[in-house]
Amino acid sequence: MSQAEAEPRGTSAAPAYRGNIWRLFAVQALLMFILWVPIWVVFLQRKGLSLTQVGLEGVAWTITASLEVPTGAIADRWGRKASIAVGASLYGVAMFLILAEALSPAFLLGYALWNSSTAFVSGADSALLYDSLKADGRAAEAAKQSGRYAAVNQASQGIASLVGAAIATIDINLCFAICGVLAIAAAAVVLTIHEPPHTSDDGEHMDYWRNLTTAVRIAVRRPVVRALVLLNATVLTIPLVVYYVLLQPYSLGVGLPLAALGIVVIAVQLSTVVASWLAHRTEGRFALTSIVAVALAVLIGATAILAAAPSIPSLSLMLAVALVPALLTPLLSARLNDLIPSGQRATILSLGALLFELGLAVAMPLMLAFADRFGAPAAIGLSGAVFAVTAVPLMFIWRVADRGPSPAGARP
Protein backbone atom coordinates (compact mmCIF):
# COMPACT_ATOMS: atom_id res chain seq x y z
CA MET A 1 0.00 0.00 0.00
CA SER A 2 1.36 3.44 -0.90
CA GLN A 3 1.89 6.17 1.68
CA ALA A 4 -0.95 8.18 0.16
CA GLU A 5 -3.30 5.24 0.54
CA ALA A 6 -2.07 4.49 4.06
CA GLU A 7 -2.65 8.09 5.15
CA PRO A 8 -5.85 9.16 3.41
CA ARG A 9 -6.52 11.85 5.96
CA GLY A 10 -3.53 13.87 4.85
CA THR A 11 -1.36 13.45 7.96
CA SER A 12 1.78 14.11 5.92
CA ALA A 13 3.20 17.63 5.94
CA ALA A 14 2.72 18.24 2.23
CA PRO A 15 -0.61 17.16 0.70
CA ALA A 16 0.09 14.75 -2.14
CA TYR A 17 -2.85 15.74 -4.32
CA ARG A 18 -2.98 19.54 -3.96
CA GLY A 19 -1.69 19.99 -7.50
CA ASN A 20 -4.67 18.06 -8.85
CA ILE A 21 -7.01 20.92 -8.04
CA TRP A 22 -5.37 23.62 -10.12
CA ARG A 23 -4.74 21.13 -12.92
CA LEU A 24 -8.44 20.26 -12.98
CA PHE A 25 -9.26 23.97 -13.08
CA ALA A 26 -6.89 24.38 -16.04
CA VAL A 27 -8.47 21.41 -17.83
CA GLN A 28 -11.95 22.84 -17.25
CA ALA A 29 -10.90 26.27 -18.53
CA LEU A 30 -9.46 24.73 -21.72
CA LEU A 31 -12.45 22.48 -22.41
CA MET A 32 -15.05 25.15 -21.64
CA PHE A 33 -13.42 27.82 -23.81
CA ILE A 34 -16.06 26.96 -26.40
CA LEU A 35 -15.75 29.60 -29.09
CA TRP A 36 -18.57 28.07 -31.13
CA VAL A 37 -21.32 28.86 -28.59
CA PRO A 38 -22.57 32.08 -30.25
CA ILE A 39 -22.25 30.82 -33.83
CA TRP A 40 -22.84 27.07 -33.98
CA VAL A 41 -26.35 27.32 -35.46
CA VAL A 42 -25.12 29.78 -38.09
CA PHE A 43 -22.17 27.48 -38.83
CA LEU A 44 -24.45 24.50 -39.45
CA GLN A 45 -26.85 26.57 -41.54
CA ARG A 46 -23.98 27.70 -43.74
CA LYS A 47 -23.19 24.05 -44.30
CA GLY A 48 -26.69 23.61 -45.71
CA LEU A 49 -28.54 22.20 -42.68
CA SER A 50 -32.07 23.40 -42.03
CA LEU A 51 -33.25 24.51 -38.60
CA THR A 52 -35.25 21.29 -38.39
CA GLN A 53 -32.06 19.29 -38.90
CA VAL A 54 -30.27 21.43 -36.33
CA GLY A 55 -33.17 20.72 -33.96
CA LEU A 56 -32.11 17.08 -33.93
CA GLU A 57 -29.69 18.23 -31.23
CA GLY A 58 -32.13 16.60 -28.82
CA VAL A 59 -31.12 13.23 -30.28
CA ALA A 60 -27.48 14.06 -29.58
CA TRP A 61 -28.30 14.84 -25.94
CA THR A 62 -30.14 11.53 -25.66
CA ILE A 63 -27.09 9.65 -26.98
CA THR A 64 -24.91 11.50 -24.49
CA ALA A 65 -27.26 10.63 -21.64
CA SER A 66 -27.17 6.94 -22.59
CA LEU A 67 -23.37 6.98 -22.25
CA GLU A 68 -23.20 8.76 -18.89
CA VAL A 69 -23.48 5.78 -16.55
CA PRO A 70 -21.30 3.36 -18.58
CA THR A 71 -18.55 5.98 -18.88
CA GLY A 72 -18.87 6.80 -15.18
CA ALA A 73 -18.29 3.14 -14.40
CA ILE A 74 -15.25 3.19 -16.70
CA ALA A 75 -13.86 6.11 -14.69
CA ASP A 76 -14.44 4.24 -11.41
CA ARG A 77 -12.83 1.07 -12.72
CA TRP A 78 -9.88 2.29 -14.81
CA GLY A 79 -9.23 5.79 -13.52
CA ARG A 80 -10.82 9.22 -13.58
CA LYS A 81 -7.94 11.00 -15.29
CA ALA A 82 -7.89 8.36 -18.05
CA SER A 83 -11.62 8.84 -18.64
CA ILE A 84 -11.27 12.64 -18.78
CA ALA A 85 -8.31 12.35 -21.16
CA VAL A 86 -10.32 10.07 -23.48
CA GLY A 87 -13.28 12.47 -23.44
CA ALA A 88 -11.10 15.53 -24.11
CA SER A 89 -9.30 13.75 -26.95
CA LEU A 90 -12.54 12.62 -28.60
CA TYR A 91 -13.95 16.12 -28.30
CA GLY A 92 -10.79 17.52 -29.93
CA VAL A 93 -11.14 15.07 -32.80
CA ALA A 94 -14.83 16.00 -33.14
CA MET A 95 -13.98 19.67 -33.56
CA PHE A 96 -11.88 18.88 -36.64
CA LEU A 97 -14.26 16.30 -38.09
CA ILE A 98 -17.18 18.71 -37.90
CA LEU A 99 -15.38 20.90 -40.45
CA ALA A 100 -15.90 18.26 -43.14
CA GLU A 101 -18.63 18.48 -45.76
CA ALA A 102 -22.11 18.42 -44.23
CA LEU A 103 -23.62 14.94 -43.79
CA SER A 104 -20.40 13.26 -44.97
CA PRO A 105 -19.23 10.24 -42.88
CA ALA A 106 -16.54 12.37 -41.21
CA PHE A 107 -19.05 15.12 -40.38
CA LEU A 108 -21.58 12.67 -38.94
CA LEU A 109 -18.90 11.02 -36.80
CA GLY A 110 -17.78 14.42 -35.55
CA TYR A 111 -21.35 15.43 -34.78
CA ALA A 112 -21.88 12.19 -32.84
CA LEU A 113 -18.71 12.77 -30.81
CA TRP A 114 -19.42 16.48 -30.28
CA ASN A 115 -21.72 15.99 -27.29
CA SER A 116 -21.17 12.32 -26.44
CA SER A 117 -17.46 12.84 -25.69
CA THR A 118 -18.47 14.92 -22.67
CA ALA A 119 -19.91 11.81 -21.02
CA PHE A 120 -16.35 10.65 -20.35
CA VAL A 121 -15.66 13.89 -18.47
CA SER A 122 -18.84 14.55 -16.48
CA GLY A 123 -18.90 12.61 -13.23
CA ALA A 124 -15.23 11.68 -13.55
CA ASP A 125 -14.10 15.29 -13.01
CA SER A 126 -16.25 15.82 -9.91
CA ALA A 127 -15.17 12.46 -8.50
CA LEU A 128 -11.51 13.26 -9.12
CA LEU A 129 -11.88 16.65 -7.46
CA TYR A 130 -13.57 15.26 -4.35
CA ASP A 131 -11.30 12.23 -3.95
CA SER A 132 -8.19 14.42 -4.34
CA LEU A 133 -9.44 16.58 -1.47
CA LYS A 134 -10.44 13.55 0.59
CA ALA A 135 -7.06 11.86 0.12
CA ASP A 136 -5.38 14.98 1.53
CA GLY A 137 -7.80 15.26 4.45
CA ARG A 138 -9.48 18.32 2.88
CA ALA A 139 -12.95 16.92 2.19
CA ALA A 140 -14.43 19.84 4.13
CA GLU A 141 -13.35 22.08 1.25
CA ALA A 142 -15.50 20.17 -1.27
CA ALA A 143 -18.21 22.82 -1.61
CA LYS A 144 -15.63 25.60 -1.86
CA GLN A 145 -13.58 23.91 -4.56
CA SER A 146 -16.66 22.61 -6.42
CA GLY A 147 -17.99 26.16 -6.53
CA ARG A 148 -14.69 27.45 -7.86
CA TYR A 149 -14.65 24.67 -10.44
CA ALA A 150 -18.12 25.70 -11.62
CA ALA A 151 -17.07 29.36 -11.66
CA VAL A 152 -14.09 28.54 -13.88
CA ASN A 153 -16.50 26.70 -16.18
CA GLN A 154 -18.87 29.64 -16.47
CA ALA A 155 -16.17 32.30 -16.73
CA SER A 156 -14.37 30.42 -19.49
CA GLN A 157 -17.62 30.01 -21.43
CA GLY A 158 -18.48 33.68 -21.00
CA ILE A 159 -15.12 34.92 -22.27
CA ALA A 160 -15.19 32.42 -25.12
CA SER A 161 -18.64 33.62 -26.19
CA LEU A 162 -17.33 37.14 -26.67
CA VAL A 163 -14.11 36.05 -28.38
CA GLY A 164 -15.86 33.45 -30.54
CA ALA A 165 -18.21 35.98 -32.11
CA ALA A 166 -15.23 38.13 -33.10
CA ILE A 167 -13.24 35.20 -34.49
CA ALA A 168 -16.25 34.06 -36.53
CA THR A 169 -16.17 37.33 -38.46
CA ILE A 170 -12.67 36.38 -39.65
CA ASP A 171 -13.16 32.65 -40.25
CA ILE A 172 -16.01 30.74 -38.64
CA ASN A 173 -14.10 27.46 -38.97
CA LEU A 174 -11.42 28.78 -36.61
CA CYS A 175 -13.92 28.63 -33.73
CA PHE A 176 -13.92 24.84 -34.03
CA ALA A 177 -10.27 24.32 -34.94
CA ILE A 178 -9.04 26.33 -31.94
CA CYS A 179 -11.36 24.39 -29.63
CA GLY A 180 -9.91 21.16 -31.04
CA VAL A 181 -6.37 22.25 -30.22
CA LEU A 182 -7.38 23.36 -26.70
CA ALA A 183 -9.10 20.01 -26.07
CA ILE A 184 -5.95 18.06 -27.00
CA ALA A 185 -3.99 20.35 -24.67
CA ALA A 186 -6.52 19.61 -21.90
CA ALA A 187 -6.01 15.86 -22.41
CA ALA A 188 -2.26 16.34 -22.01
CA VAL A 189 -2.69 18.36 -18.81
CA VAL A 190 -5.06 15.86 -17.20
CA LEU A 191 -2.56 13.02 -17.73
CA THR A 192 -0.17 14.83 -15.36
CA ILE A 193 -2.67 14.47 -12.50
CA HIS A 194 -1.84 12.11 -9.63
CA GLU A 195 -4.79 9.69 -9.43
CA PRO A 196 -6.12 9.54 -5.83
CA PRO A 197 -7.26 6.25 -4.25
CA HIS A 198 -10.77 5.10 -5.19
CA THR A 199 -11.63 1.58 -4.16
CA SER A 200 -14.64 -0.39 -2.96
CA ASP A 201 -15.55 -0.73 0.70
CA ASP A 202 -13.11 -3.62 1.22
CA GLY A 203 -10.25 -1.72 -0.42
CA GLU A 204 -10.30 -3.73 -3.65
CA HIS A 205 -11.16 -2.72 -7.19
CA MET A 206 -14.38 -4.32 -8.43
CA ASP A 207 -14.77 -5.56 -11.96
CA TYR A 208 -16.64 -3.26 -14.34
CA TRP A 209 -20.11 -4.85 -14.18
CA ARG A 210 -20.09 -5.43 -10.43
CA ASN A 211 -19.04 -1.84 -9.87
CA LEU A 212 -21.76 -0.57 -12.21
CA THR A 213 -24.53 -2.58 -10.55
CA THR A 214 -23.31 -1.61 -7.07
CA ALA A 215 -23.39 2.09 -7.94
CA VAL A 216 -26.89 1.89 -9.41
CA ARG A 217 -28.08 -0.08 -6.38
CA ILE A 218 -26.75 2.60 -4.03
CA ALA A 219 -28.46 5.39 -5.97
CA VAL A 220 -31.77 3.53 -6.22
CA ARG A 221 -32.03 1.96 -2.77
CA ARG A 222 -30.67 4.70 -0.51
CA PRO A 223 -33.39 7.37 -0.19
CA VAL A 224 -31.05 10.23 0.70
CA VAL A 225 -28.78 9.56 -2.28
CA ARG A 226 -31.71 9.09 -4.63
CA ALA A 227 -33.37 12.31 -3.51
CA LEU A 228 -30.15 14.33 -3.80
CA VAL A 229 -29.41 13.04 -7.30
CA LEU A 230 -32.94 13.88 -8.46
CA LEU A 231 -33.05 17.25 -6.73
CA ASN A 232 -29.68 18.35 -8.09
CA ALA A 233 -30.66 17.34 -11.63
CA THR A 234 -33.92 19.31 -11.33
CA VAL A 235 -32.13 22.39 -9.99
CA LEU A 236 -29.76 22.27 -12.96
CA THR A 237 -32.22 21.54 -15.75
CA ILE A 238 -35.30 23.74 -15.46
CA PRO A 239 -33.54 27.04 -14.58
CA LEU A 240 -31.15 26.48 -17.51
CA VAL A 241 -34.09 26.21 -19.89
CA VAL A 242 -35.34 29.57 -18.59
CA TYR A 243 -32.16 31.68 -18.51
CA TYR A 244 -30.39 30.05 -21.46
CA VAL A 245 -33.15 29.03 -23.87
CA LEU A 246 -36.16 31.27 -23.13
CA LEU A 247 -34.19 34.41 -22.23
CA GLN A 248 -33.71 35.53 -25.84
CA PRO A 249 -37.34 35.32 -27.05
CA TYR A 250 -38.55 36.80 -23.75
CA SER A 251 -36.15 39.76 -23.99
CA LEU A 252 -37.04 40.57 -27.57
CA GLY A 253 -40.74 40.11 -26.81
CA VAL A 254 -40.71 42.78 -24.09
CA GLY A 255 -38.97 45.22 -26.40
CA LEU A 256 -35.35 44.95 -25.34
CA PRO A 257 -33.10 46.13 -28.19
CA LEU A 258 -31.09 43.32 -29.76
CA ALA A 259 -27.86 45.19 -29.04
CA ALA A 260 -28.69 45.20 -25.32
CA LEU A 261 -29.29 41.45 -25.20
CA GLY A 262 -25.56 40.82 -24.90
CA ILE A 263 -25.47 42.94 -21.74
CA VAL A 264 -28.19 40.81 -20.17
CA VAL A 265 -26.40 37.59 -21.10
CA ILE A 266 -23.09 38.84 -19.68
CA ALA A 267 -24.84 39.95 -16.47
CA VAL A 268 -26.38 36.48 -16.09
CA GLN A 269 -23.01 34.80 -16.65
CA LEU A 270 -21.23 37.09 -14.19
CA SER A 271 -23.86 36.41 -11.54
CA THR A 272 -23.42 32.66 -11.90
CA VAL A 273 -19.63 32.97 -11.64
CA VAL A 274 -19.89 35.00 -8.42
CA ALA A 275 -22.54 32.72 -6.90
CA SER A 276 -20.56 29.56 -7.66
CA TRP A 277 -17.32 31.04 -6.33
CA LEU A 278 -18.89 32.22 -3.06
CA ALA A 279 -21.43 29.41 -2.46
CA HIS A 280 -19.23 27.74 0.16
CA ARG A 281 -19.41 30.84 2.37
CA THR A 282 -22.98 29.92 3.28
CA GLU A 283 -21.72 26.70 4.90
CA GLY A 284 -21.71 26.89 8.68
CA ARG A 285 -23.79 30.06 8.66
CA PHE A 286 -27.07 28.47 7.64
CA ALA A 287 -28.39 24.91 7.49
CA LEU A 288 -28.18 23.46 4.00
CA THR A 289 -31.88 22.54 4.11
CA SER A 290 -32.75 26.18 4.86
CA ILE A 291 -30.55 27.45 2.02
CA VAL A 292 -32.25 25.07 -0.40
CA ALA A 293 -35.75 26.01 0.77
CA VAL A 294 -35.10 29.76 0.41
CA ALA A 295 -33.41 29.31 -2.98
CA LEU A 296 -36.29 27.26 -4.36
CA ALA A 297 -38.79 29.87 -3.15
CA VAL A 298 -36.79 32.64 -4.82
CA LEU A 299 -36.67 30.78 -8.14
CA ILE A 300 -40.38 29.94 -8.11
CA GLY A 301 -41.24 33.53 -7.23
CA ALA A 302 -38.95 34.93 -9.93
CA THR A 303 -40.45 32.78 -12.68
CA ALA A 304 -43.96 33.66 -11.53
CA ILE A 305 -43.25 37.40 -11.81
CA LEU A 306 -41.49 36.98 -15.16
CA ALA A 307 -44.60 35.21 -16.47
CA ALA A 308 -47.20 37.49 -14.91
CA ALA A 309 -45.52 40.85 -15.56
CA PRO A 310 -43.39 40.60 -18.70
CA SER A 311 -41.33 43.78 -19.01
CA ILE A 312 -37.79 45.03 -19.32
CA PRO A 313 -37.50 45.63 -15.54
CA SER A 314 -38.65 42.05 -14.92
CA LEU A 315 -35.60 40.85 -16.86
CA SER A 316 -33.52 41.54 -13.76
CA LEU A 317 -35.18 38.47 -12.22
CA MET A 318 -33.31 36.32 -14.75
CA LEU A 319 -30.31 36.90 -12.49
CA ALA A 320 -32.18 35.23 -9.62
CA VAL A 321 -33.11 32.29 -11.84
CA ALA A 322 -29.47 31.80 -12.82
CA LEU A 323 -28.16 32.36 -9.28
CA VAL A 324 -30.13 29.50 -7.73
CA PRO A 325 -28.44 26.57 -9.54
CA ALA A 326 -25.05 28.32 -9.33
CA LEU A 327 -25.45 28.57 -5.54
CA LEU A 328 -27.04 25.20 -4.82
CA THR A 329 -25.13 22.85 -7.13
CA PRO A 330 -21.75 23.05 -5.30
CA LEU A 331 -23.47 22.61 -1.93
CA LEU A 332 -25.68 19.69 -3.00
CA SER A 333 -22.78 18.02 -4.82
CA ALA A 334 -20.58 18.27 -1.75
CA ARG A 335 -23.32 16.74 0.40
CA LEU A 336 -23.83 13.93 -2.10
CA ASN A 337 -20.11 13.22 -2.23
CA ASP A 338 -20.07 12.87 1.55
CA LEU A 339 -22.68 10.11 1.29
CA ILE A 340 -21.31 7.91 -1.50
CA PRO A 341 -18.30 5.57 -1.54
CA SER A 342 -15.20 6.44 -3.54
CA GLY A 343 -15.31 3.21 -5.53
CA GLN A 344 -18.63 4.14 -7.15
CA ARG A 345 -18.38 7.94 -6.99
CA ALA A 346 -18.02 8.72 -10.71
CA THR A 347 -20.79 6.30 -11.67
CA ILE A 348 -23.30 7.73 -9.19
CA LEU A 349 -22.44 11.30 -10.19
CA SER A 350 -22.92 10.30 -13.82
CA LEU A 351 -26.47 9.23 -12.99
CA GLY A 352 -27.17 12.86 -12.15
CA ALA A 353 -25.64 13.97 -15.45
CA LEU A 354 -27.80 11.40 -17.25
CA LEU A 355 -30.98 12.83 -15.69
CA PHE A 356 -29.86 16.37 -16.48
CA GLU A 357 -29.20 15.60 -20.15
CA LEU A 358 -32.43 13.65 -20.57
CA GLY A 359 -34.23 16.57 -18.97
CA LEU A 360 -32.68 18.98 -21.47
CA ALA A 361 -33.51 16.68 -24.38
CA VAL A 362 -37.19 16.78 -23.35
CA ALA A 363 -37.59 20.25 -21.80
CA MET A 364 -35.83 22.35 -24.45
CA PRO A 365 -37.95 21.38 -27.46
CA LEU A 366 -41.18 21.26 -25.42
CA MET A 367 -40.70 24.69 -23.86
CA LEU A 368 -39.65 26.22 -27.16
CA ALA A 369 -42.74 24.76 -28.84
CA PHE A 370 -44.91 26.08 -25.99
CA ALA A 371 -43.29 29.51 -26.28
CA ASP A 372 -43.85 29.49 -30.03
CA ARG A 373 -47.56 28.94 -29.48
CA PHE A 374 -48.30 30.88 -26.27
CA GLY A 375 -45.32 33.21 -25.86
CA ALA A 376 -42.11 33.12 -23.85
CA PRO A 377 -43.66 34.51 -20.63
CA ALA A 378 -46.18 31.66 -20.59
CA ALA A 379 -43.39 29.14 -21.19
CA ILE A 380 -41.43 30.59 -18.27
CA GLY A 381 -44.52 30.36 -16.09
CA LEU A 382 -44.97 26.73 -17.08
CA SER A 383 -41.29 26.06 -16.34
CA GLY A 384 -41.70 27.56 -12.88
CA ALA A 385 -44.78 25.44 -12.22
CA VAL A 386 -43.00 22.26 -13.33
CA PHE A 387 -40.07 23.22 -11.12
CA ALA A 388 -42.34 23.75 -8.13
CA VAL A 389 -44.14 20.41 -8.43
CA THR A 390 -40.87 18.49 -8.81
CA ALA A 391 -38.21 20.28 -6.76
CA VAL A 392 -40.31 21.08 -3.68
CA PRO A 393 -41.46 17.47 -3.02
CA LEU A 394 -37.90 16.25 -3.67
CA MET A 395 -36.62 18.76 -1.13
CA PHE A 396 -38.96 17.43 1.57
CA ILE A 397 -38.11 13.80 0.70
CA TRP A 398 -34.40 14.62 0.98
CA ARG A 399 -34.86 16.48 4.29
CA VAL A 400 -36.63 13.49 5.83
CA ALA A 401 -34.09 10.99 4.48
CA ASP A 402 -31.11 13.15 5.50
CA ARG A 403 -31.97 13.08 9.18
CA GLY A 404 -30.20 9.77 9.60
CA PRO A 405 -27.81 9.29 6.62
CA SER A 406 -25.75 6.19 6.28
CA PRO A 407 -21.98 6.54 6.30
CA ALA A 408 -20.34 7.14 2.93
CA GLY A 409 -18.84 3.68 2.91
CA ALA A 410 -21.99 1.85 3.90
CA ARG A 411 -23.07 -1.00 1.73
CA PRO A 412 -26.34 -0.61 -0.18
Side-chain angles (χ1 to χ4, degrees):
M1 181 182 293
S2 68
Q3 183 178 359
E5 291 172 326
E7 300 177 8
R9 301 302 298 176
T11 57
S12 57
Y17 302 96
R18 185 178 295 275
N20 287 3
I21 308 304
W22 70 260
R23 286 182 174 87
L24 271 173
F25 287 0
V27 169
Q28 183 74 338
L30 290 169
L31 289 177
M32 291 299 105
F33 199 74
I34 40 183
L35 298 165
W36 46 261
V37 161
I39 52 86
W40 69 277
V41 174
V42 176
F43 170 80
L44 293 175
Q45 285 182 301
R46 287 185 182 180
K47 282 186 167 290
L49 273 66
S50 67
L51 286 176
T52 300
Q53 289 172 315
V54 175
L56 294 176
E57 180 75 6
V59 176
W61 279 114
T62 303
I63 295 172
T64 304
S66 69
L67 294 173
E68 281 291 351
V69 175
T71 54
I74 287 173
D76 280 330
R77 179 62 185 85
W78 288 288
R80 284 74 186 270
K81 75 175 185 179
S83 181
I84 296 171
V86 168
S89 299
L90 291 176
Y91 172 69
V93 170
M95 292 295 95
F96 290 104
L97 291 176
I98 207 74
L99 300 177
E101 183 180 351
L103 304 182
S104 66
F107 175 88
L108 292 175
L109 177 60
Y111 202 88
L113 292 175
W114 191 350
N115 279 341
S116 59
S117 59
T118 62
F120 287 89
V121 180
S122 62
D125 56 352
S126 298
L128 183 55
L129 175 65
Y130 185 87
D131 281 333
S132 295
L133 293 169
K134 183 180 179 182
D136 279 336
R138 300 165 58 202
E141 296 181 26
K144 174 182 177 181
Q145 299 299 348
S146 294
R148 290 180 173 179
Y149 187 71
V152 169
N153 177 326
Q154 294 147 3
S156 186
Q157 287 189 56
I159 296 170
S161 295
L162 296 176
V163 176
I167 291 177
T169 63
I170 302 171
D171 184 351
I172 199 168
N173 291 333
L174 281 176
C175 293
F176 294 87
I178 293 172
C179 286
V181 172
L182 294 179
I184 300 301
V189 173
V190 80
L191 289 175
T192 67
I193 284 176
H194 186 192
E195 186 89 30
H198 54 92
T199 57
S200 61
D201 299 336
D202 55 10
E204 299 295 331
H205 283 289
M206 296 183 183
D207 64 62
Y208 176 83
W209 291 110
R210 183 183 170 203
N211 192 69
L212 179 60
T213 55
T214 299
V216 173
R217 192 180 302 120
I218 292 171
V220 171
R221 293 186 179 179
R222 289 182 56 189
V224 64
V225 174
R226 182 173 65 245
L228 273 174
V229 169
L230 291 169
L231 177 60
N232 200 27
T234 304
V235 166
L236 281 171
T237 305
I238 297 178
L240 181 65
V241 173
V242 174
Y243 74 80
Y244 185 74
V245 178
L246 297 174
L247 169 61
Q248 294 181 36
Y250 183 93
S251 299
L252 298 179
V254 297
L256 186 76
L258 183 61
L261 183 57
I263 298 174
V264 176
V265 173
I266 291 172
V268 168
Q269 290 175 326
L270 285 175
S271 68
T272 59
V273 170
V274 173
S276 295
W277 192 270
L278 300 178
H280 71 280
R281 294 184 180 275
T282 62
E283 286 188 311
R285 293 180 172 85
F286 309 98
L288 179 56
T289 51
S290 299
I291 296 171
V292 172
V294 171
L296 298 190
V298 167
L299 193 144
I300 294 167
T303 54
I305 296 172
L306 283 164
S311 63
I312 291 178
S314 294
L315 273 171
S316 61
L317 293 171
M318 284 289 182
L319 299 181
V321 175
L323 279 170
V324 169
L327 172 68
L328 293 186
T329 298
L331 301 175
L332 293 176
S333 296
R335 180 58 182 152
L336 179 60
N337 273 305
D338 287 338
L339 295 169
I340 57 180
S342 293
Q344 291 77 41
R345 192 179 311 284
T347 310
I348 294 173
L349 294 176
S350 292
L351 283 169
L354 179 153
L355 294 171
F356 166 64
E357 287 154 5
L358 285 178
L360 286 181
V362 174
M364 278 191 179
L366 286 180
M367 290 303 169
L368 281 172
F370 192 87
D372 197 30
R373 183 173 179 83
F374 299 103
I380 290 175
L382 178 61
S383 298
V386 171
F387 184 82
V389 300
T390 53
V392 173
L394 285 171
M395 178 191 68
F396 283 108
I397 292 171
W398 161 58
R399 291 179 67 165
V400 171
D402 201 41
R403 290 173 182 170
S406 303
R411 294 188 180 276

